[in-house]
Amino acid sequence: TWLKLCLDCNALPRSEKINKPLLALVLSNFGFVPVSQDKVDVEISPIKDLHKADGGDDLDALREKLGYDPKITVYSRKLSPGSGHFGEREMRTQQMVISRYPTDPQGKATAVKTSFDHAMINHLREGDLEQLERSRLDLAELVDKSWRGGEFQLHPNLDHASLRRALFGYLYYER
């Protein structure tokens, strides 16, 4: 909705600092790029791809240990379980677990602890109005494809309920 509004108003979309991996992934899928030098690169995967050494061989035991049912695994060389990058409530709300090892197959790449700019901003800075308009049209097409039949369709392998919880936290509830 935010992107549709930006496009309708000819506003250039950008974000504040994003600390939520699923939200960062959504922005990356729409052509946004992280802008901070201090960003933390992460890979996001379904929990079924969790490495065996992180509990992937016994997900029931992992669920019991955590006290919640993780749907997403987040891997980064800069993150480790219990490192304090994400609070326990945030991990539970987003139904994610931090992995010490990369998943196989490799997860979707994005970044956290950074703000995001859309490529249109760089085109404007460079004075390339033709490329700016091309990027705007490409983004509009992506946004339209994502709202099929009035329902959000970001990625077939992602749990959209987890994404809603990441976006809205406890304010979101399942009907």
Side-chain angles (χ1 to χ4, degrees), residues 63-121:
R63 289 179 187 106
E64 181 77 24
K65 176 183 169 189
L66 294 172
Y68 62 93
D69 185 15
K71 305 286 186 204
I72 304 294
T73 180
V74 178
Y75 167 73
S76 173
R77 289 188 200 123
K78 293 183 179 181
L79 300 177
S80 61
S83 64
H85 280 92
F86 301 104
E88 184 180 328
R89 185 182 90 132
E90 190 172 11
M91 299 290 289
R92 184 178 20 260
T93 302
Q94 295 185 52
Q95 292 183 311
M96 66 181 191
V97 63
I98 295 176
S99 175
R100 295 172 294 179
Y101 305 98
T103 59
D104 184 25
Q106 183 176 0
K108 301 283 184 185
T110 190
V112 293
K113 311 292 182 188
T114 182
S115 58
F116 286 80
D117 282 351
H118 194 272
M120 290 187 289
I121 292 173

Side-chain angles (χ1 to χ4, degrees), residues 49-62:
D49 296 333
L50 183 65
H51 194 279
K52 288 180 182 181
D54 279 322
D57 56 344
D58 189 355
L59 292 177
D60 289 333
L62 179 64

